[in-house]
Amino acid sequence: MIRILVFALFVLALAGGFAWLADRPGELSIIWQGQRADMSLMVAATLIVSLIVAIMLCWWLVRVIWTSPHSIQRYFRARKRDRGYQALSTGLIAAGAGDAAGARKMLGRTRGLLSADQEPLIHLLEAQAAMIEGRYDDARKKFELMADDPETRELGLRGLYLEARRLGANEAARQYAERAAEKAPQLPWATEAALEYRSEAGDWDEALKLLGDGRSGSTEEKKAYARRKAVLLTARAAEKLDADPKGAREDAHQALKLDENFVPAGLIEAKAYLREDNLRKAASILERLWKATAHGDVARLYVRARSGDSAADRLKRAEKLEAMRPNNAEALYAVAEAALETRDFTLARAKAEAAARLAPRESAFLLLADIEDAETGDQGRIRHWMNQALKAPRDPAWTADGITSPEWRAVSPVTGRLDAFEWKTPVSELQGPIEEGSANTVDEAIRTLPPIVIETRPAVKAEKVETVKAEPPVVVTAAAEPVPAKAETPQKADAVPAGSEEEERPFYGLPDDPGVKAGAVRRDDTSSFKLF
């Protein structure tokens, strides 16, 4: 565009000059070697311009003829280079697609058209072809050559890192990742790998140094940086909690500034305050976390913040949590657990059943079994709730890569991934009918509770088949009408006649219990009794 503009300006200037001469006519006389030439000024100017153009044309022609061999050579070299790059591109595509034969063919063609010094990507194509063909030693040698070349250092280090990970050489992989992170901190894979290795080793200070300040980047990158830094600070705080509660509290506080709803950081800061006997600040942190997350660990720590509290005090704290988050399964469970400790079975049962309706899970049914054991001791009802607990989903836990942990960890012990643990129900345990049901399923479980049976043992009568006479069952909750087991009268002279006071009462078994078979009454010379 600039050249066109310069040419147009030159033409306009030349035309303007001729117009100026045309407006100012004149005569020009030249005497040279006795010859005189007379001409107008316009003709003289035209001859001068034509002479200049002819000289320039002759010079261009001579220069083209003089440089034509080099131009021809350069043309063929450029054509060869283009063919080489085309073969290299095709070979890399074939290697990426897993076509070993095509990659090897294009590699041979590329070598004939290009030199490795001219194009380092030939080493990459050769390494990729070797990996596809299973020649990993040759591929590793090529990656080492690339790592020594400043142009391909990062590419070679990444190839060596991936190869070391494939072989399980974690120490070598760590060294390659840290070398790449040192030479090129902008590489995400190198920084991520080095960060995970340092975190897995528990070197939190070095991990924080490697993480940097995170000032640059997009909004999403800044959020990811804040989350990682909060995780690393929380991990360091957890390590300091026993020996240095103040330092742990400061690290956890910094983590909460980056992520205000990060439960592990809040728990560590609250524990640090409790170790400093500052219950007010610990409770303030836990209450704020509870309002935001309603986390089970927060509820447990809040209810049992002081070891010297009585059961009634713990119940009051649990009820305070329920007031903050009404109709919450975790709050209801905390109140039910605290009520059981105070022997308030009515409140404990009501809250536990409500928690089971909102979130059917193992701990809720186990708590109902504990309530039943403490209040009535009825083994049938206890086993009923235990059976429901076996079929219920497990409680939420810190889960990462298919494993669960009782406490939060910064790094997964399986893959070494940072910030892998999440608070959720283990997916592998989501089986059973209660998983798909809601309150209706829990209501059905409550309705199918066996009634409470109070058994008494009569006196022993000689030479007669005795059975235990039971009082009428006392039904506590709505229960389905049980089907009595029909007991056959033994065909003996001393058998108990039907309708007498010694007539056998029906056996109220569990929902999953087959019951007592007809006539299966244990006989003894001195006494007889039911199995349950």
Side-chain angles (χ1 to χ4, degrees):
M1 182 66 186
I2 296 177
R3 290 183 178 182
I4 296 175
L5 182 61
V6 170
F7 179 76
L9 292 175
F10 175 76
V11 172
L12 289 175
L14 187 63
F18 277 103
W20 184 79
L21 289 175
D23 294 337
R24 293 166 178 80
E27 295 292 332
L28 181 64
S29 298
I30 299 175
I31 300 174
W32 187 54
Q33 293 184 354
Q35 299 292 329
R36 178 175 179 168
D38 296 326
M39 64 188 72
S40 64
L41 189 60
M42 180 64 71
V43 173
T46 303
L47 290 175
I48 292 173
V49 172
S50 300
L51 181 61
I52 293 173
V53 172
I55 293 173
M56 292 177 61
L57 184 60
C58 292
W59 173 252
W60 174 80
L61 184 61
V62 170
R63 189 168 63 87
V64 168
I65 295 173
W66 181 261
T67 59
S68 58
H70 177 70
S71 298
I72 294 172
Q73 183 182 6
R74 186 174 57 183
Y75 167 76
F76 283 107
R77 187 168 60 246
R79 186 169 177 268
K80 181 181 179 181
R81 185 179 64 250
D82 292 342
R83 290 170 58 198
Y85 279 119
Q86 181 65 36
L88 178 62
S89 176
T90 305
L92 290 174
I93 293 173
D99 185 4
R104 178 61 58 184
K105 179 181 178 182
M106 291 298 106
L107 176 61
R109 184 177 298 179
T110 303
R111 283 177 174 175
L113 298 172
L114 298 175
S115 63
D117 296 336
Q118 180 183 0
E119 183 49 63
L121 284 178
I122 295 177
H123 294 306
L124 176 61
L125 177 57
E126 189 171 0
Q128 293 290 336
M131 290 182 68
I132 295 173
E133 295 173 351
R135 296 181 290 106
Y136 297 106
D137 292 337
D138 295 341
R140 187 165 55 253
K141 292 178 181 178
K142 289 298 179 183
F143 283 128
E144 289 175 353
L145 291 175
M146 296 171 66
D148 294 334
D149 188 350
E151 281 187 305
T152 58
R153 181 188 294 116
E154 291 79 12
L155 184 58
L157 288 174
R158 177 166 174 78
L160 291 172
Y161 167 76
L162 294 176
E163 185 65 13
R165 288 289 298 270
R166 185 188 65 83
L167 296 175
N170 293 328
E171 181 61 25
R174 182 186 65 81
Q175 293 180 4
Y176 290 133
E178 290 188 352
R179 182 180 169 188
E182 180 182 356
K183 297 294 183 181
Q186 74 278 3
L187 294 176
W189 71 267
T191 304
E192 181 76 19
L195 189 63
E196 288 183 358
Y197 282 119
R198 293 181 184 181
S199 300
E200 192 174 3
D203 194 354
W204 308 116
D205 294 333
E206 293 297 325
L208 286 169
K209 289 180 182 178
L210 182 62
L211 190 62
D213 55 6
R215 295 178 181 177
S216 60
S218 62
T219 305
E220 295 298 328
E221 291 176 349
K222 289 181 179 179
K223 288 182 180 178
Y225 163 80
R227 175 70 179 186
R228 286 184 179 179
K229 189 171 182 179
V231 170
L232 293 176
L233 287 171
T234 304
R236 190 170 69 176
E239 194 176 67
K240 291 181 180 179
L241 183 60
D242 294 331
D244 185 12
K246 183 178 179 181
R249 174 168 54 81
E250 291 175 355
D251 285 343
H253 185 69
Q254 292 297 323
L256 284 177
K257 284 185 177 180
L258 296 170
D259 189 351
E260 60 181 7
N261 295 329
F262 192 37
V263 172
L267 291 175
I268 292 174
E269 187 177 7
K271 289 178 182 178
Y273 275 122
L274 290 175
R275 297 195 179 193
E276 297 175 355
D277 293 330
N278 195 336
L279 180 62
R280 184 180 61 82
K281 287 188 177 181
S284 175
I285 293 171
L286 293 175
E287 287 173 2
R288 180 174 55 82
L289 279 177
W290 173 256
K291 292 177 182 179
T293 63
H295 200 280
D297 288 349
V298 175
R300 280 187 286 274
L301 183 59
Y302 186 81
V303 171
R304 303 180 182 276
R306 286 188 300 197
S307 58
D309 285 348
S310 63
D313 292 334
R314 289 194 290 270
L315 178 58
K316 290 180 181 178
R317 298 180 73 84
E319 289 176 342
K320 186 176 181 181
L321 290 179
E322 185 185 10
M324 295 179 191
R325 292 291 296 267
N327 297 324
N328 181 268
E330 292 289 350
L332 293 169
Y333 180 83
V335 173
E337 195 174 30
L340 176 60
E341 294 181 2
T342 61
R343 313 293 292 180
D344 188 350
F345 300 118
T346 303
L347 177 62
R349 188 186 300 276
K351 297 298 183 180
E353 289 180 356
R357 287 187 179 94
L358 287 176
R361 64 185 190 187
E362 183 181 13
S363 62
F365 294 106
L366 290 178
L367 181 59
L368 284 167
D370 291 339
I371 296 170
E372 202 68 55
D373 183 35
E375 183 180 10
T376 65
D378 188 282
Q379 295 300 315
R381 298 169 70 87
I382 295 172
R383 289 167 60 187
H384 172 75
W385 289 124
M386 295 286 286
N387 183 44
Q388 295 298 324
L390 288 175
K391 296 185 291 183
R394 285 181 58 186
D395 293 353
W398 292 110
T399 307
D401 299 321
I403 65 170
T404 58
S405 173
E407 295 181 353
W408 174 84
R409 296 183 182 180
V411 180
S412 169
V414 179
T415 61
R417 184 163 53 95
L418 185 66
D419 192 22
F421 278 92
E422 297 177 328
W423 181 259
K424 62 181 181 180
T425 302
V427 178
S428 60
E429 300 295 338
L430 290 179
Q431 298 175 359
I434 297 182
E435 169 200 358
E436 300 178 357
S438 57
N440 294 332
T441 306
V442 179
D443 291 339
E444 184 66 24
I446 295 174
R447 282 197 299 270
T448 56
L449 271 171
I452 299 175
V453 179
I454 304 174
E455 298 181 351
T456 59
R457 187 183 300 278
V460 179
K461 295 183 179 181
E463 297 182 357
K464 281 194 175 184
V465 179
E466 303 290 344
T467 58
V468 178
K469 183 177 180 181
E471 294 294 333
V474 179
V475 180
V476 178
T477 58
E481 185 68 24
V483 180
K486 296 182 181 180
E488 297 180 359
T489 303
Q491 301 296 325
K492 288 190 178 181
D494 56 355
V496 179
S500 66
E501 292 181 357
E502 303 299 329
E503 182 180 359
E504 182 181 349
R505 294 289 182 182
F507 173 72
Y508 290 89
L510 299 176
D512 297 333
D513 199 316
V516 181
K517 295 183 179 180
V521 180
R522 180 176 177 178
R523 300 177 183 274
D524 195 281
D525 293 335
T526 59
S527 64
S528 63
F529 54 91
K530 293 183 179 180
L531 294 179
F532 295 93

